């Protein structure tokens, strides 16, 4: 195991700052999306093919945002062996608000008590699904700044994504991701290339503080997501091109080995790959079009802003980008299709999925493009360069091995019938913000090592306990042999491919 103890070897300005370790937590129970189609009385294939979703993770009243983040952070610290005294900044990204004043970060400080370390900067950041990315940017900026004191930063992104009954409900999910940030990282954030797009819209928002449910304008949210993708890619490409010499080919998807997206539902991600290919097509030179985009010439006069719901453009570029999607994006959709939209952790669940479906050797030296979107809206595109140091004991090989149990952990969950899921949603509705309150969910149904809510007292103070941990290190040593792999058919419906759209 490589030493994560401190950064004392780091003399001078920190180099290669980025993500060193990732821990993913998702609930132990799920509902099958095919079963949900039948239960909801919608046409067969609407959730599984139309949205590209396979299973949806959800939590009972035993779990809230604090418990999800306590679990993810505890697991990260145990798996890496980094002492709490070695953390100088802790950032939380979430849109699951249980208190308008007290941060989730301050709740997480309970875990630091034994170490005596209270010198930990950072608090919570909120803007829909974007909070995790804002937290990551803050953490990386801190390590790269004159404020850095040589210790690690940690980013925790967590959410419970639940919707009222209706069309949006199958796009829910829940989970948390914790990431260790520092120098000499195996996943380095490329500097100077980040592009953002932020503006004021009401596509998805949560104005009713007494409810967990958002107000959603589904169609507008998709338009906003795609327009933010276009805007971020345009600015990212401009910045990337400015660094090249004039003879070099302009930025295109060609130069990225993987394309990762915030995933509200997998079908939108597949459409997003097509959308980026459409951007490349519109940017291509007159000479290149017949060479690379033979048969698509008729779309040359189309404008991005007129085509968010243009089915001809969508179909043509879904078909054109099918191989790109299968190679560069589909491996990142494991958690997105199996757990659902985790909101702030979604993109980082995508990164963990991508890593878990690769080996150190296949990742070494690769470049990854990531798109983060939060309604309201805030969006950023950025890129990671993966180290080529993949030797035994390297941080990259440790990262890959720590995520090799993802498939077996997904397979070890318990399936719950849709009516039980619906009753759980009703219970959450009725008890959200109730005080005093004692949760009624079954502790035995949680994974070992999971933190859970035991009590909310009359003053709304929340108390937590942890299920005994078997051993996260044993869990991590589970190899991803084929018997542990999530079956290809359950990974994501192949009906998603363009010919079936
Ligand atoms: P809907 O009413 O189910 O939409 O709402 P639909 O009837 O148009 O169906 C969806 C697709 O399924 C369509 O395909 C149908 O043809 C297809 P498309 O035309 O789009 O390619 N379909 C079928 N396919 C196969 N077999 C069938 C069948 N039936 C229909 N039998 C919607 C869908 C996503 C709008 C809804 O679920 C929703 O509002 N979800 C929440 C909002 C959302 O996820 N928006 C995405 C972008 S915003 C975002 O990412 C931010 C977010 O994460 C929040 C945050 O930032 O915090 C959500």
């Amino acid at each position: 195991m490589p030493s994560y103890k401190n950064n004392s070897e780091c003399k001078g300005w920190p180099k290669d700052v980025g993500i060193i370790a990732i821990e993913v937590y998702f609930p132990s129970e799920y509902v099958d999306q095919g079963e949900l189609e039948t239960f909801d009385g919608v046409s067969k294939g609407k959730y599984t093919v139309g949205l590209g979703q396979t299973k949806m993770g959800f939590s009972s009243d035993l779990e809230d945002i604090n418990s999800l983040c306590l679990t993810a952070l505890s697991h990260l610290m145990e798996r890496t062996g980094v002492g709490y005294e070695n953390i100088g900044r802790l950032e939380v990204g979430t849109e699951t608000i249980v208190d308008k004043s007290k941060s989730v970060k301050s709740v997480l400080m309970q875990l630091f008590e034994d170490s005596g370390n209270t010198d930990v900067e950072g608090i919570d950041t909120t803007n829909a699904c974007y909070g995790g990315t804002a937290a990551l940017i803050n953490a990386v900026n801190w390590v790269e700044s004159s404020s850095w004191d040589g210790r690690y930063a940690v980013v925790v992104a967590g959410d419970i994504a639940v919707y009222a009954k209706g069309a949006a409900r199958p796009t829910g999910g829940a989970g948390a991701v914790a990431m260790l940030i520092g120098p000499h990282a195996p996943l380095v954030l490329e500097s100077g290339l980040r592009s953002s797009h932020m503006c004021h819209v009401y596509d998805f928002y949560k104005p009713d503080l007494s409810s967990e449910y958002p107000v959603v304008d589904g169609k507008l949210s998709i338009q906003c997501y795609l327009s933010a993708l276009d805007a971020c890619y345009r600015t990212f490409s401009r910045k990337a091109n400015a660094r090249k010499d004039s003879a070099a080919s302009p930025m295109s998807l060609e130069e990225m080995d993987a394309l990762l997206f915030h995933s509200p539902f997998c079908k939108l991600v597949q459409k997003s790959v097509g959308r980026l290919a459409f951007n490349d097509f519109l940017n291509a030179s007159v000479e290149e079009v017949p060479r690379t985009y033979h048969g698509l010439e008729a779309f040359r006069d189309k404008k991005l802003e007129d085509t968010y719901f243009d089915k001809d453009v969508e179909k043509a570029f879904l078909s054109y980008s099918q191989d790109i999607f299968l190679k560069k994006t589909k491996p990142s959709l494991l958690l997105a299709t199996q757990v659902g939209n985790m909101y702030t952790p979604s993109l980082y669940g995508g990164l963990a999925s991508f890593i878990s479906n690769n080996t150190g050797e296949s990742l070494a030296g690769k470049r990854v493009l990531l798109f983060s979107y939060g309604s309201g809206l805030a969006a950023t595109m950025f890129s990671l360069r993966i180290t080529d140091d993949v030797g035994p004991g390297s941080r990259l090989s440790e990262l890959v091995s720590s995520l090799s149990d993802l498939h077996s952990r997904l397979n070890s969950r318990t399936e719950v019938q849709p009516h039980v899921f619906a009753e759980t949603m009703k219970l959450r509705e009725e008890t959200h913000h109730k005080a005093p309150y004692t949760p009624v969910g079954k502790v035995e149904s949680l994974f070992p090592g999971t933190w859970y809510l035991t009590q909310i007292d009359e003053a709304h103070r929340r108390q937590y306990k942890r299920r005994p941990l078997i051993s996260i290190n044993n869990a991590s040593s589970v190899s991803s042999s084929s018997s542990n792999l999530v079956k290809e058919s359950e990974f994501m419906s192949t009906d998603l491919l363009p010919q079936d759209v």
Side-chain angles (χ1 to χ4, degrees), residues 135-397:
L136 175 65
I137 291 172
N138 288 346
V140 168
N141 285 354
W142 176 69
V143 175
E144 289 182 337
S145 77
S146 60
S147 305
W148 189 52
D149 66 3
R151 292 182 295 165
Y152 290 105
V154 170
V155 168
V156 181
D159 275 306
I160 294 175
V162 283
Y163 291 91
K165 272 187 197 161
R169 183 161 268 188
T171 58
V177 164
M179 297 183 280
L180 186 70
I181 310 299
H184 308 301
L187 311 179
V188 181
L189 267 79
E190 292 191 308
S191 57
L193 279 179
R194 216 149 62 203
S195 66
S196 291
H197 176 71
M198 311 232 170
C199 53
H200 170 55
V201 280
Y202 281 116
D203 61 330
F204 164 114
Y205 49 107
K206 294 180 179 164
D208 180 357
L209 296 169
S210 66
S211 167
E212 282 195 289
Y213 299 147
V215 176
V216 198
D217 182 337
K219 191 168 179 203
L220 177 63
S221 75
I222 291 168
Q223 178 173 332
C224 289
Y225 180 104
L226 295 175
S227 64
L229 179 67
D230 291 341
C232 285
Y233 190 54
R234 183 167 53 243
T235 310
F236 186 95
S237 302
R238 180 171 48 73
K239 291 183 181 179
N241 290 338
R243 295 173 153 207
K244 297 181 175 189
D245 61 46
S246 53
S249 350
M251 164 77 198
S252 75
L253 296 183
E254 278 275 292
E255 59 192 77
M256 292 294 170
D257 301 293
L259 310 168
L260 276 47
F261 301 80
H262 165 61
S263 180
F265 53 96
C266 295
K267 181 77 162 283
L268 186 60
V269 171
Q270 186 173 9
K271 288 183 182 181
S272 297
V273 176
R275 187 83 193 164
L276 292 183
F278 180 49
N279 272 262
D280 277 357
F281 162 77
L282 293 180
N283 292 336
S285 64
V286 178
E287 304 77 55
E288 200 196 332
V289 169
R291 231 181 13 243
T292 313
Y293 301 98
H294 181 66
L296 296 171
E297 292 85 348
F299 298 108
R300 194 66 173 163
D301 295 331
K302 294 277 184 186
K303 293 201 167 49
L304 286 171
E305 60 275 20
D306 299 334
T307 53
Y308 302 123
F309 300 105
D310 183 325
K311 286 289 167 202
D312 294 332
V313 170
E314 185 181 289
K315 213 170 166 193
F317 285 89
L318 266 174
S319 180
Y320 171 82
S321 63
Q322 180 176 339
D323 288 346
I324 305 174
F325 169 74
L326 292 175
K327 187 163 163 253
K328 300 188 178 183
T329 303
K330 195 178 172 197
S332 69
L333 292 178
L334 174 66
L335 283 161
T337 192
Q338 286 276 326
V339 178
N341 188 357
M342 299 193 284
Y343 287 166
T344 51
S346 167
L347 179 63
Y348 305 97
L351 181 58
S353 301
F354 166 66
I355 292 167
S356 80
N357 280 315
N358 269 288
T359 60
E361 286 71 23
S362 64
L363 291 170
K366 295 272 158 68
R367 281 183 84 202
V368 183
L369 187 70
L370 299 97
F371 173 65
S372 175
Y373 178 82
S375 286
L377 69 80
T380 291
M381 185 171 275
F382 61 104
S383 55
L384 294 172
R385 184 172 41 75
I386 304 180
T387 174
D388 43 23
D389 176 8
V390 72
S394 66
R395 286 181 164 182
L396 179 57
S397 64

Side-chain angles (χ1 to χ4, degrees), residues 1-2 4 20-21 79-80 390-404 473 476:
M1 183 170 172
Y4 294 118
I20 297 171
R79 204 190 290 259
T80 57
V390 72
S394 66
R395 286 181 164 182
L396 179 57
S397 64
E398 188 61 22
L399 175 67
V400 172
S401 110
S402 75
L403 290 167
S404 64
N473 290 324
S476 76

